[in-house]
Amino acid sequence: MTSDIILLGHGSGGTLSHQLLDELIVPLLSGYGPHQQNDAAVVPFAGQRLAFTTDSYVVDPIFFPGGNIGDLAINGTVNDLAMSGARPVVISVGLILEEGLPVEDLRRILIAMRQAADAAAVAIVTGDTKVVPRGKADRVFINTSGIGVFDHELDIRGSGARPGDVILLNGPIGDHGMAVLVAREGLAIESDIRSDSAPLNGLVAELLRVGGAAVHALRDPTRGGVATTLKELANQSQVEITLDETALPVRPAVSGACAILGLDPLFVANEGKLLAVVAAEAAERVLAAMREHPAGVEGAIIGEVTGGAAGKVLLKTAIGGRRAIEMLAGEQLPRIC
Amino acid sequence: MNFSREFRDPRVARCLLAEIRQAVDGQTGVLTFMEVCGTHTMAISQQGIRSLLPPAIRLISGPGCPVCVTPVDYVDHAIALARRPGTIIATFGDMVRVPGSSSSLLREKAQGADVRIVYSPLDAVALARRNPERAVVFLGVGFETTAPTVAGSILQAQKQGISNYFVLAAHKTMPAPMAALSADPELQVDGYLCPAHVSAIIGAAAYQPLAREGGVPCVVTGFEPLDILQGVLLLARQATAGVAKVEIQYSRVVKPDGNRKAQQLLAEVFAPADAHWRGIGVIPGSGLEIRSAYAPFDAARQLPVAVEAPREAAGCLCGEILKGKVTPHQCPLFRTGCTPENPVGACMVSSEGTCAAEYKYGI
């Protein structure tokens, strides 16, 4: 650890988060090494496999265009399970409420959670509620944990990318991060950017049905954005990935807001996007299936696995130049999810 | 017009690159062009422009990253103010990670100091209005691009009768450091890609002495990839023809006389002063200080604090890098002792810093 105190950047999902995990949390709590860190743990149980994951939500503001902390908390955990190839089944909800929170706000959040759970076909089966004195938390924090089961024998993991594979993305990047940032107090930018918060388990099931064993890895590029997630994939799989800048879908409003604020959409959080690493021969078939699904209409092939040079991500720029992509360093946007 | 697409057209880029190659065809030595502005440094790295240029052209980065040229004693002063009871520090995001002599604003924030990131000094004035019992200090760093809005914020605070808004001013101006670099015998600059937005304020005519007396070609260049390629082409043509004049590539924004209104705003609130440039030293008349008429808004005058003696990190070559004398890879700390998570020098901290650009985008 390069810092003796916890900094906001330790929660960014970028290099500082990795340092905290690899050097402190994982060695003390778990036997898994850094290359086994996937969105969900896959554990053997009674001769079968179970997927298990947990996530906490501290987004500020709690209501933003396109969603609120409630649907975010359900979709995030549903998606983490789905990225392991599992079918999400049950979810737990832990609520930490700040004294003084309007009941009406809580009601809206709970309704959003219930609707998101219904949309993703998962059941909320257990939970816990704590209230802390005013000022000791910020309105509401939510933890969700989830369990998923496998309907197939496929092995989907971050270490599965191989040279020659192509990278698929199911739509425009940066919507969630910019929607939250623009909604946050003190930013006088008017825009129609909405969070992309959505469940992806339906899309994943369809990609696996069509692609089968040709689907090598799935990841949802949340905190740290597409850049950080691809860097993790490149590290886990020990491969080099090359992206094509002209193929990256970004809404004009998002790229405009990013330009004003000095942000790069590649590093901005998404909550309804996935990256699929697919064998080249199945790419067109899987892309077609992605575009047929409501969650992947704007899907695109954004790059390929270009070699075995460990852990490198390169970008072919619009004018034909080449440059490296590194993981997010420090914090770009705290409390984005 | 969709600017982000029109100015990134790969076909036009290929044409410009062919013309650049043609312009330096037969050139024996290497032409060294300096991009002065940090935004250029980032755009060049982000677009991978160096990988496209012929070997006869070398681009080096100059002293135009505002955070990078801010001396360590300023950071220490800001940290001392952050520790002052009842004070809110309002700043652009980059400043919070810059290491001072023994701390940083980020560390102070993690330990309880009230440090807020704002996107405009006017947000800081609003913060002062909402918190009348606190002293709100805006960290005024940057060139003529940011200084007019800071001047505007002081005028607005005055108009609204806000007495708890202060600016810790360390603004710097162009083109004085460019003249200083041209005069440096260790450095051979064959042309300047002059700043885009600074020039929109001060006007392209400001570079006339550099070209006329200094004999250095100057091209005011925009920030889009095609702007930069065209700027390089114009510089290459001047340098190979042995002429030195001021050209405006970024003519859709920059005029020879600049923005008179912004200049008046600057002159109303600020007076020219000597300024300390990190790595370069003191350059006479290259900074701005708050005029005594606006002293009530000057944090340095109104909020006395004890500031520790400045200490530069050992081994850090930021100074040489800011002068374009060494590249990040020549610094012994680069990527090992100095990374974006644990920066030693400001060139690694600022999103516009040369080392940050090389760390983030270098292949």
Side-chain angles (χ1 to χ4, degrees):
Chain A
M1 297 281 296
T2 49
S3 172
D4 58 344
I5 54 174
I6 294 298
L7 304 171
L8 272 175
H10 285 117
S12 68
T15 43
L16 276 178
S17 299
H18 281 261
Q19 205 181 68
L20 181 64
L21 275 174
D22 296 345
E23 294 177 21
L24 196 69
I25 296 177
V26 172
L28 286 176
L29 295 185
S30 145
Y32 289 110
H35 293 304
Q36 273 76 51
Q37 287 169 18
N38 290 298
D39 288 316
V42 177
V43 290
F45 179 77
Q48 304 251 331
R49 292 182 296 165
L50 279 184
F52 183 39
T53 194
T54 188
D55 214 331
S56 300
Y57 297 83
V58 296
V59 65
D60 172 36
I62 53 178
F63 299 100
F64 46 83
N68 67 46
I69 191 171
D71 55 84
L72 197 65
I74 299 298
N75 290 334
T77 289
V78 163
N79 293 346
D80 279 349
L81 290 170
M83 294 309 128
S84 70
R87 172 166 58 86
V89 182
V90 288
I91 280 192
S92 73
V93 171
L95 298 170
I96 297 171
L97 309 176
E98 184 194 14
E99 179 188 22
L101 177 77
V103 170
E104 194 45 43
D105 284 358
L106 183 58
R107 188 192 310 276
R108 280 173 69 192
I109 290 165
L110 296 175
I111 289 170
M113 294 184 90
R114 178 58 199 266
Q115 287 172 343
D118 289 347
V122 293
I124 299 170
V125 291
T126 184
D128 174 59
T129 308
K130 297 282 190 299
V131 179
V132 298
R134 196 174 184 100
K136 302 294 179 187
D138 190 2
R139 287 158 293 173
V140 50
F141 296 155
I142 302 177
N143 172 275
T144 52
S145 298
I147 293 174
V149 298
F150 290 84
D151 301 327
H152 52 73
E153 301 293 314
L154 301 170
D155 186 17
I156 310 287
R157 58 175 71 209
S159 55
R162 299 164 211 173
D165 287 354
V166 298
I167 318 283
L168 274 61
L169 171 72
N170 64 318
I173 58 172
D175 291 3
H176 174 73
M178 294 318 291
V180 170
L181 189 63
V182 170
R184 201 171 280 178
E185 191 188 4
L187 263 190
I189 301 177
E190 278 183 31
S191 86
D192 54 359
I193 304 169
R194 294 169 64 80
S195 168
D196 59 346
S197 172
L200 295 169
N201 52 333
L203 176 61
V204 167
E206 186 58 15
L207 299 184
L208 293 182
R209 187 185 70 77
V210 172
V215 180
H216 294 158
L218 295 167
R219 288 295 309 272
D220 55 341
T222 52
R223 276 180 311 177
V226 166
T228 302
T229 304
L230 283 178
K231 189 75 184 173
E232 286 170 359
L233 266 173
N235 275 328
Q236 283 181 298
S237 300
Q238 296 289 292
V239 293
E240 177 193 88
I241 292 171
T242 303
L243 287 185
D244 181 355
E245 187 174 35
T246 54
L248 274 174
V250 188
R251 293 186 205 285
V254 169
S255 64
C258 280
I260 291 169
L261 298 171
L263 302 172
D264 183 341
L266 271 172
F267 291 90
V268 178
N270 310 277
E271 291 293 342
K273 292 296 170 304
L274 64 79
L275 294 157
V277 183
V278 179
E281 63 272 15
E284 286 304 328
R285 191 169 82 232
V286 176
L287 179 65
M290 181 183 267
R291 287 183 175 157
E292 283 291 311
H293 193 275
V297 178
E298 294 173 86
I301 293 176
I302 61 162
E304 55 188 323
V305 181
T306 37
K312 237 182 189 176
V313 182
L314 300 172
L315 180 79
K316 205 166 105 244
T317 67
I319 59 163
R322 277 157 65 87
R323 55 121 155 148
I325 289 180
E326 283 302 324
M327 210 172 265
L328 179 63
E331 102 250 17
Q332 178 160 334
L333 307 165
R335 294 188 62 189
I336 211 70
C337 61
Chain B
M1 179 182 274
N2 182 334
F3 281 86
S4 55
R5 205 168 303 142
E6 300 286 333
F7 289 96
R8 286 169 195 203
D9 187 331
R11 284 164 308 170
V12 183
R14 277 195 293 274
C15 292
L16 284 167
L17 284 164
E19 287 191 66
I20 290 170
R21 276 192 296 273
Q22 204 178 4
V24 295
D25 190 31
Q27 171 73 25
T28 46
V30 172
L31 292 172
T32 301
F33 299 146
M34 177 179 274
E35 86 271 1
V36 176
C37 179
T39 311
H40 278 139
T41 300
M42 280 321 266
I44 286 165
S45 296
Q46 202 177 27
Q47 294 297 324
I49 286 176
R50 279 193 187 84
S51 70
L52 297 169
L53 292 176
I57 294 178
R58 186 169 76 113
L59 292 181
I60 60 170
S61 308
C65 155
V67 170
C68 305
V69 296
T70 300
V72 71
D73 55 350
Y74 178 87
V75 181
D76 291 340
H77 195 162
I79 289 167
L81 284 168
R83 289 174 181 163
R84 185 182 172 276
T87 306
I88 299 174
I89 299 288
T91 175
F92 296 140
D94 278 3
M95 279 303 289
V96 299
R97 293 198 296 137
V98 182
S101 295
S102 63
S103 183
S104 70
L105 287 169
L106 194 64
R107 265 195 80 88
E108 297 301 317
K109 181 172 190 272
Q111 291 176 315
D114 196 345
V115 179
R116 316 266 184 108
I117 291 170
V118 293
Y119 290 91
S120 159
L122 297 177
D123 295 342
V125 175
L127 203 57
R129 195 171 49 234
R130 286 199 305 271
N131 297 276
E133 74 293 351
R134 315 271 299 271
V136 174
V137 179
F138 180 77
L139 303 184
V141 297
F143 298 101
E144 291 94 333
T145 35
T146 45
T149 47
V150 175
S153 74
I154 288 177
L155 293 177
Q156 194 182 79
Q158 187 187 49
K159 200 167 132 196
Q160 296 180 358
I162 295 170
S163 57
N164 60 326
Y165 174 69
F166 306 93
V167 174
L168 186 64
H171 289 289
K172 295 188 166 48
T173 56
M174 289 288 171
M178 294 162 71
L181 289 174
S182 289
D184 188 333
E186 282 179 52
L187 199 64
Q188 172 66 40
V189 178
D190 299 304
Y192 284 114
L193 282 175
C194 297
H197 294 157
V198 164
S199 306
I201 306 293
I202 67 175
Y207 307 104
Q208 283 296 356
L210 266 178
R212 208 178 289 143
E213 290 137 44
V216 190
C218 291
V219 176
V220 176
T221 304
F223 291 129
E224 291 297 331
L226 295 186
D227 289 328
I228 294 170
L229 290 178
Q230 196 182 24
V232 169
L233 174 62
L234 293 172
L235 280 180
R237 283 185 178 154
Q238 283 197 46
T240 51
V243 296
K245 57 185 177 183
V246 177
E247 290 181 279
I248 307 178
Q249 181 280 331
Y250 196 35
S251 55
R252 63 185 184 277
V253 172
V254 175
K255 303 285 170 277
D257 296 334
N259 181 333
R260 286 281 164 77
K261 204 164 180 185
Q263 291 166 12
Q264 282 161 7
L265 203 59
L266 276 180
E268 167 66 26
V269 176
F270 294 111
D274 297 350
H276 181 194
W277 295 64
R278 189 173 193 166
I280 299 177
V282 174
I283 302 175
S286 69
L288 297 171
E289 64 180 18
I290 297 173
R291 287 187 188 277
S292 45
Y294 296 95
F297 301 97
D298 187 346
R301 287 173 176 135
Q302 303 300 331
L303 307 172
V305 282
V307 182
E308 65 182 307
R311 234 172 347 120
E312 288 278 356
C316 174
L317 293 187
C318 265
E320 300 299 296
I321 287 166
L322 285 169
K323 282 188 274 192
K325 284 185 180 172
V326 305
T327 63
H329 289 284
Q330 291 169 288
C331 176
L333 300 180
F334 184 69
R335 272 189 199 275
T336 50
C338 181
T339 61
E341 307 82 75
N342 196 26
V344 177
C347 302
M348 185 60 93
V349 179
S350 168
S351 63
E352 297 193 341
T354 307
C355 296
E358 186 54 31
Y359 186 96
K360 203 168 161 196
Y361 299 128
I363 293 177

